[in-house]
Amino acid sequence: MCCFAQAISFVGKTQIFARLTGKGSQILVYQMEYESEVPNAMILPLPVSQNAGDDGVRFIDLSEDESFFKTLQRGFPILQSSPGITCSAKMGEVKSVSDSLQVHNVGSFIASFVPSIDDFDRLDPQFTIAKETWLKIPEYADYGFAVFQLASLSATAHPMAFEFQTRFENERVFFPTVHIHDGEVHATEEFDHALYLQHAG
């Protein structure tokens, strides 16, 4: 999944690790390559528990563990790689988000948790996706959102990691796979993703 606040020039080699903790929460680790021409943010919708407040996500700094996914890959043979996803776009310099929402310095990212779609108005508008866009995919209408402001215009980002209280509890694991690359929701998308799942036991 990749949802970006502004149009993105390129994103590919997306890797996502997910695991339930056995205590009503889930861990997600996310990494990708990207290029953008304007300041941008990646936004991940999350099935947070219904009573999640502003502190509904615990961000984890993995800036010192950039080889996280390379280590995982050693356990799996790669049969074929796919070309990256490309989109027309535009991106600049990252500013701090509004102090209305808590800001977390997570390695090279400035991260925030947005408890609901309506709370996006508490965030710098350049790092949000319009409410009308989210309403086109109603299954996310009551989700929370992890927002990572990208520190540069192009990079292989170090892994983004966090833990959230999931409404699914120990029933199922959530992988963020919806795409919004240009402010629009499209009927179909191409995927360049590797998904890793670890059992909580």
Side-chain angles (χ1 to χ4, degrees):
M1 124 128 197
C2 305
C3 293
F4 292 92
Q6 306 296 324
I8 196 82
S9 303
F10 164 83
V11 60
K13 297 185 179 178
T14 300
Q15 303 179 88
I16 309 173
F17 169 86
R19 138 185 239 286
L20 293 174
T21 65
K23 56 180 183 179
S25 64
Q26 180 185 324
I27 300 285
L28 270 177
V29 183
Y30 190 104
Q31 188 175 36
M32 82 289 187
E33 292 183 3
Y34 69 89
E35 292 178 9
S36 183
E37 297 175 10
V38 296
N40 216 330
M42 192 180 73
I43 300 171
L44 300 176
L46 304 173
V48 294
S49 58
Q50 299 291 349
N51 58 355
D54 285 2
D55 57 354
V57 165
R58 180 178 68 88
F59 292 99
I60 303 166
D61 186 351
L62 287 187
S63 58
E64 299 300 318
D65 191 10
E66 296 190 19
S67 62
F68 180 88
F69 282 104
K70 288 182 180 178
T71 302
L72 283 180
Q73 287 169 4
R74 292 186 192 134
F76 301 90
I78 304 299
L79 302 178
Q80 182 178 358
S81 60
S82 303
I85 300 167
T86 58
C87 293
S88 60
K90 298 266 177 198
M91 205 174 146
E93 181 180 322
V94 175
K95 296 180 182 177
S96 175
V97 297
S98 164
D99 58 9
S100 297
L101 285 173
Q102 188 173 1
V103 172
H104 306 266
N105 291 305
V106 188
S108 65
F109 303 109
I110 298 172
S112 294
F113 172 62
V114 180
S116 71
I117 289 175
D118 289 335
D119 288 303
F120 272 114
D121 61 10
R122 302 165 61 195
L123 203 61
D124 187 324
Q126 69 178 324
F127 301 124
T128 68
I129 294 173
K131 182 176 182 179
E132 313 84 77
T133 302
W134 288 117
L135 293 179
K136 293 177 182 176
I137 38 178
E139 57 266 42
Y140 296 104
D142 61 350
Y143 273 38
F145 303 83
V147 178
F148 291 86
Q149 294 182 36
L150 305 178
S152 60
L153 298 186
S154 65
T156 298
H158 71 70
M160 310 169 196
F162 53 90
E163 178 181 6
F164 65 95
Q165 292 296 315
T166 175
R167 69 184 60 173
F168 299 149
E169 297 184 353
N170 291 319
E171 298 176 14
R172 53 186 167 147
V173 174
F174 173 77
F175 281 94
T177 55
V178 67
H179 286 66
I180 301 174
H181 288 181
D182 56 4
E184 297 293 332
V185 177
H186 300 279
T188 61
E189 293 285 0
E190 294 183 8
F191 281 71
D192 178 17
H193 289 35
L195 306 181
Y196 299 89
L197 171 66
Q198 183 181 35
H199 191 278

